[in-house]
């Protein structure tokens, strides 16, 4: 029993938790931005696949790692533009469009993969981002390695959270985004185009989702697999609700989920097979649902979420 | 042309037409409306249906054997990769309708449906990777699987000789029979030289989530493992980053991990496929379990050459490997087949 508790005090556990959380943080912030502007983006899973591939293949073709991140973001933004065109000016069902984008993005990714790599005998690898320990800070026990000995993309994830929070709550742009998700008519009354705000938010959010996907192929691993996103996008939709549509709380949610995941793979080794492995794999999801029930009951969602806005209509 | 078009996953019908046209043109065959006489020299029309891309480890071995048969001129070979299980039955029917004589693939997730399709096309031979045995009621449906426990056992002996902490980590996808039996054979091999070894067994609930496999492997290294059994992609990467050793499975990945992968249990699909081709050509194909053609004495599996680890594995360990390999081949020793889910010890 003490062993199960001791795991929580080891540095490697927290390093793993932050590493597992990183792609979720990017994608959760992306989804949060979309939803704060009033658009539910169920294209997240497919956009992450596209981003994972776009970033990886750029580096595979000889591009710089950061250039790969940029290409992933652009690929995400392109799918975001498609999503937004269908859901914002045309006002189509956000559920249907989102699922459609996921199917399109995953299939198109595979299609492109086969065109780029018609004859490979094993999945090719790239030189991925390496951990970059920050001097002094990374020497702090437990917290140091967990937060300050990660790859540059993980640091970027935290920067993105801070930036998202700052823009949403401290800038006129953020106010317009939030208002577009609460009361679009009020935004229009200010002479700001709701359509432009929403399209921009979905594109920016989708770009972040794609970087989340790229984290898996360019930092957590160094090769692209077709099914490697493996439902992480859907988790992020739940994390936005868990975080009550607030960047800080969503960040905590992502880290909590990742910590559960890192914990279960360690706990699995302690029980000597007495408990079926499925129970452990289930644990992060069950605990997240419990947390969701406790936390999200008081959450107030953006009032205009999923409601298309047509100028002049009432 | 057939090569290029066969990579499109989206339009099996038009692709097949393209290939047929190309094949007919190349062979200067008679008017397509006439049924061609089946001559012994005619290559057998073989189609494969894979649920994953052809570079994934398990399927890559089948693809390699099929390409080899094609290059010898024994078969005409087309395939559909990344076919989802929902579409599997439809693609089987399309290939059968198109006149392919032998259809190979993997039906682990569509066992019943695949047998139903086979019953509808009694003149087509089906050779499918399956967790179950052959069924006499469907005489044209034979099964195979990678029964490479002989090689896994030998790789286990190497691992047993190399582990210092007597703690070995194993990461698998799902505990299905083909995974379980190889893990058990590997563990039996380890125990030959290190009977008190502690095994950490974990399943990640996914076939292709290398980041998750890697995280799980890291956890096992943290818990003391100094050798990892790499059933999934991602495990050898964790071993490489932490400077410990790994044992490969199905394919040889030593080129990617020259200082990490000591030994690998390789699967060779050629004996299985060649047997099926011969049976179909002779008109004697019937429901059977082709699993035995993956056994070592049939040439269906082998221990990969030590390569970069030549001279780094103790000589007495390799002597035991050679002794057991000879015993397996002459039939005096049989590696136990145990399909139960392995547990951590």
């Amino acid at each position: 029993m003490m062993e199960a508790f001791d795991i929580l005090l080891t540095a490697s556990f927290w390093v793993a938790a932050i590493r597992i959380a990183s792609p979720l943080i990017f994608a959760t912030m992306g989804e949060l931005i979309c939803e704060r502007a009033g658009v539910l983006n169920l294209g997240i899973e497919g956009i992450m696949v596209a981003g994972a591939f776009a970033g990886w293949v750029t580096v595979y073709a000889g591009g710089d790692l950061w250039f790969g991140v940029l290409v992933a973001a652009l690929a995400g933004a392109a799918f975001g533009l498609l999503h937004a065109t269908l859901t914002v000016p045309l006002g189509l069902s956000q559920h249907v469009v989102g699922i459609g984008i996921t199917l399109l993005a995953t299939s198109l990714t595979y299609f492109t993969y086969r065109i780029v790599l018609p004859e490979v005998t094993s999945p090719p690898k790239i030189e991925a981002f390496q951990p970059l320990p920050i001097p002094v800070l990374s020497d702090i026990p437990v917290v140091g390695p967990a937060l300050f000995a990660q790859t540059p993309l993980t640091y970027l994830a935290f920067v993105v959270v801070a930036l998202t929070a700052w823009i949403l709550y401290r800038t006129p742009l953020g106010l317009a985004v939030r208002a577009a998700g609460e009361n679009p008519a009020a935004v229009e009354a200010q002479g700001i185009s709701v359509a432009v705000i929403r399209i921009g938010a979905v594109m920016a959010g989708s770009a972040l989702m794609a970087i989340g996907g790229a984290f898996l192929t360019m930092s957590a691993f160094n090769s692209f697999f077709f099914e490697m996103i493996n439902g992480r996008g859907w988790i992020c939709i739940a994390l936005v609700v868990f975080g009550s549509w607030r960047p800080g709380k969503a960040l905590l949610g992502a880290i909590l989920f990742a910590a559960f995941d890192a914990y279960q793979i360690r706990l699995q080794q302690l029980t000597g097979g007495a408990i079926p492995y499925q129970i452990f794999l289930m644990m992060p999801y069950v605990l997240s649902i419990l947390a969701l029930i406790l936390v999200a009951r008081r959450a107030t969602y953006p009032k205009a979420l999923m409601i298309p806005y047509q100028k002049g209509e009432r | 042309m057939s090569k290029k078009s066969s990579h499109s996953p989206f339009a099996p019908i038009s692709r097949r037409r393209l290939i047929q046209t190309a094949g007919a043109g190349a062979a200067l065959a008679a008017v397509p409306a006439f049924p061609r006489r089946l001559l012994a020299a005619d290559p057998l029309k073989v189609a494969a249906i894979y649920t994953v891309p052809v570079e994934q480890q398990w399927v890559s071995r089948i693809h390699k054997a099929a390409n080899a048969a094609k290059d010898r001129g024994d078969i005409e070979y087309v395939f559909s990769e990344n076919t989802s299980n929902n579409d599997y039955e439809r693609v089987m029917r399309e290939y059968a309708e198109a006149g392919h004589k032998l259809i190979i693939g993997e039906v682990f997730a569509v066992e019943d449906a695949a047998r139903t399709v086979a019953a509808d096309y009694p003149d087509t031979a089906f050779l499918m990777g399956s967790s179950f045995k052959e069924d006499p009621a469907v005489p044209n449906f034979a099964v195979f699987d990678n029964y490479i426990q002989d090689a896994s056992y030998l790789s286990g002996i190497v691992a047993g000789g190399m582990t210092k902490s007597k703690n070995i980590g194993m990461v698998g996808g799902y505990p299905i029979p083909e995974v379980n039996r190889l893990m058990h054979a590997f563990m039996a091999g380890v125990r030959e030289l290190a009977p008190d070894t502690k095994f950490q067994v974990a399943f990640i609930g996914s076939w292709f989530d290398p980041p998750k496999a890697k995280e799980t492997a890291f956890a096992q290294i943290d818990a003391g493992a100094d050798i990892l059994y790499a059933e999934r992609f991602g495990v050898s990467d964790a071993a490489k980053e932490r400077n410990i050793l790994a044992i490969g499975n199905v394919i040889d990945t030593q080129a990617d991990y020259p200082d990490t992968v000591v030994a690998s249990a390789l699967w060779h699909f050629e004996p299985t496929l060649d047997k099926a081709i011969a049976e179909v050509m002779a008109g004697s194909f019937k429901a059977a379990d082709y699993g035995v053609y993956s056994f070592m004495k049939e040439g269906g599996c082998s221990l990969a050459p030590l390569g970069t680890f030549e001279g780094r594995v103790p000589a007495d360990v390799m002597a035991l490997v050679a002794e057991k390999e000879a015993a397996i081949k002459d039939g005096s020793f049989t590696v136990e087949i145990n399909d139960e889910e392995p547990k951590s010890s």
Side-chain angles (χ1 to χ4, degrees):
Chain A
M1 208 50 221
M2 277 313 287
E3 278 176 315
F5 182 73
D6 286 345
I7 292 173
L8 297 175
L9 301 176
T10 58
S12 67
F13 162 73
W14 288 104
V15 173
I18 297 295
R19 193 169 46 218
I20 296 170
S22 299
L24 305 178
I25 294 171
F26 280 113
T28 304
M29 287 307 129
E31 184 66 35
L32 185 140
I33 292 170
C34 296
E35 294 191 18
R36 282 312 282 260
V39 181
L40 175 74
N41 190 346
L42 293 183
I44 183 167
E45 181 83 4
I47 292 170
M48 287 179 80
V49 176
F53 174 71
W56 172 83
V57 80
T58 305
V59 179
Y60 178 71
D64 176 68
L65 279 168
W66 286 107
F67 184 63
V69 174
L70 180 70
V71 171
L74 290 176
F79 281 108
L81 179 62
L82 179 61
H83 186 289
T85 307
L86 295 171
T87 53
V88 180
L90 298 178
L92 300 177
S93 158
Q94 295 179 5
H95 288 105
V96 176
V97 170
I99 298 290
I101 295 282
T102 283
L103 294 174
L104 174 71
T106 44
S107 303
L108 206 57
T109 299
Y110 180 60
F111 184 69
T112 315
Y113 174 87
R114 210 19 116 215
I115 287 183
V116 176
L117 299 160
E119 301 273 340
V120 285
T121 49
S122 68
K125 294 174 177 298
I126 60 166
E127 278 298 318
F129 280 106
Q130 296 301 314
L132 184 76
I134 296 172
V136 185
L137 288 177
S138 59
D139 296 334
I140 306 169
V142 185
V143 182
L147 291 178
F148 304 110
Q150 300 277 3
T151 65
L153 270 189
T154 297
Y155 303 142
L156 181 65
F158 285 93
V159 171
V160 162
V161 176
L163 211 59
T164 306
W166 181 73
I167 291 175
L168 277 180
Y169 295 107
R170 293 280 183 272
T171 67
L173 174 66
L175 183 62
V177 169
R178 284 185 291 139
E182 295 287 344
N183 187 348
V187 176
E188 207 71 45
Q190 291 288 317
I192 304 169
S193 164
V194 172
V196 168
I197 293 289
R198 283 186 167 176
I199 292 172
V202 173
M203 286 176 69
S206 301
L208 288 179
M209 295 168 189
I211 297 177
F215 181 91
L216 292 173
T217 50
M218 299 171 65
S219 182
F221 198 58
N222 54 4
S223 181
F224 174 77
F225 283 77
F226 187 55
E227 290 172 3
M228 72 193 300
I229 302 299
N230 202 10
R232 286 175 174 87
W234 308 130
I235 295 295
C236 295
I237 304 243
L239 287 175
V240 172
V241 181
F242 176 86
S244 314
W245 288 269
R246 291 167 169 275
K249 280 175 83 177
L251 169 70
L252 275 184
I255 294 176
L256 196 64
F257 177 84
F260 286 149
D261 202 18
Y263 192 51
Q264 66 88 5
I265 50 184
R266 282 163 176 76
L267 213 52
Q268 230 185 100
Q269 308 306 332
L270 278 186
T271 55
I275 303 169
Y277 78 98
Q278 290 92 339
I279 300 285
F280 292 102
L281 288 184
M282 205 164 62
M283 211 175 81
Y285 299 91
V286 172
L287 292 177
S288 298
I289 290 171
L290 288 178
L292 200 61
I293 293 169
L294 294 175
V295 174
R297 281 173 61 181
R298 283 167 301 159
T300 50
Y301 60 92
K303 288 287 174 295
L305 182 61
M306 291 190 284
I307 301 171
Y309 177 78
Q310 301 289 357
K311 200 173 170 183
E313 236 175 43
R314 48 178 91 221
Chain B
M1 182 174 203
S2 64
K3 204 180 209 176
K4 195 172 175 217
S5 58
S6 64
H7 285 301
S8 159
F10 296 115
I13 294 176
S14 60
R15 174 171 72 244
R16 230 174 10 245
R17 284 199 182 131
L18 274 173
I19 292 161
Q20 280 175 336
T21 319
L28 291 175
V31 187
F34 278 71
R36 288 171 64 198
R37 272 182 302 162
L38 197 68
L39 299 172
D42 270 349
L44 184 71
K45 289 182 70 175
V46 176
I49 313 165
Y50 306 121
T51 62
V52 294
V54 287
E55 56 265 45
Q56 307 300 3
Q57 50 196 10
W58 197 87
V59 154
S60 72
R61 307 306 289 176
I62 302 172
H63 188 56
K64 181 169 177 273
N67 273 324
K70 187 181 87 174
D71 293 343
R72 285 198 309 263
D74 289 354
I75 63 170
E76 279 176 33
Y77 172 50
V78 293
F79 63 93
S80 286
E81 57 179 338
N82 223 30
T83 306
S84 74
N85 286 313
N86 301 332
D87 284 333
Y88 206 90
E89 200 180 334
R90 173 179 64 77
V91 180
M92 278 177 78
R93 287 183 187 281
E94 285 180 7
Y95 277 135
E97 293 281 350
H100 293 279
K101 294 294 169 217
L102 173 63
I103 298 178
I104 53 178
E106 28 156 350
V107 299
F108 297 100
V110 285
E111 300 271 7
D112 278 349
R115 284 167 173 80
T116 309
V117 173
D120 287 348
Y121 297 94
D123 297 333
T124 308
F126 292 87
L127 176 64
M128 293 294 182
S130 164
S131 297
F132 297 111
K133 294 296 176 193
E134 76 277 12
D135 177 2
V138 193
N140 58 328
F141 191 95
V143 296
F144 70 89
D145 204 346
N146 61 334
Y147 281 86
I148 62 167
Q149 65 282 347
D150 300 336
S152 299
Y153 171 80
L154 297 183
S155 72
I157 296 178
V158 176
M162 294 297 277
T163 178
K164 292 187 180 68
S165 66
K166 307 291 179 215
N167 186 328
I168 292 180
M170 311 172 80
V171 181
Y174 296 91
I176 64 168
E178 64 133 327
V179 173
N180 299 347
R181 82 174 74 97
L182 303 189
M183 284 186 165
H184 279 297
F186 171 82
M187 293 196 283
V190 170
R191 291 194 183 104
E192 291 288 345
L193 286 174
D196 50 352
T197 297
K198 177 180 160 54
F199 292 98
Q200 306 180 54
V201 184
F203 294 98
I204 60 169
S206 161
W207 292 124
F208 299 110
D209 191 342
K212 186 151 197 164
K214 196 173 162 185
E215 288 296 348
T216 309
F218 277 141
Q220 294 181 335
I221 300 170
D222 290 342
D226 72 343
I227 289 189
L228 298 178
Y229 173 80
E231 204 269 323
R232 293 285 97 207
F233 281 116
V235 176
S236 302
D237 300 84
K240 186 180 173 184
E241 275 183 38
R242 296 286 183 84
N243 286 319
I244 67 162
L245 303 177
I247 301 290
N249 190 42
V250 177
I251 54 171
D252 191 355
T253 53
Q254 199 185 54
D256 287 331
Y257 312 92
D259 295 315
T260 307
V261 175
V262 189
S264 300
L266 304 184
W267 183 31
H268 308 291
F269 191 67
E270 287 79 1
T272 311
L273 182 65
D274 295 349
K275 175 72 178 166
I277 293 171
E279 293 284 347
V280 175
M281 292 294 237
S284 55
F285 186 88
K286 58 181 186 296
D289 184 358
Y290 279 65
V292 291
Y293 299 105
S294 292
F295 286 19
M296 188 167 270
K297 58 173 176 270
E298 300 285 347
C301 63
S302 68
L303 188 67
L306 284 180
T308 51
F309 276 84
E310 199 67 64
R312 289 157 75 182
V313 179
D316 55 333
V317 175
M318 290 320 289
L320 182 62
V321 169
E323 180 194 317
K324 290 290 181 186
E325 183 172 351
I328 289 168
K329 281 181 175 164
D330 70 21
S332 60
F333 177 75
T334 310
V335 178
E336 191 200 359
I337 294 176
N338 182 350
D339 287 352
E340 280 171 36
E341 180 181 329
K343 304 275 187 188
S344 301
S345 59

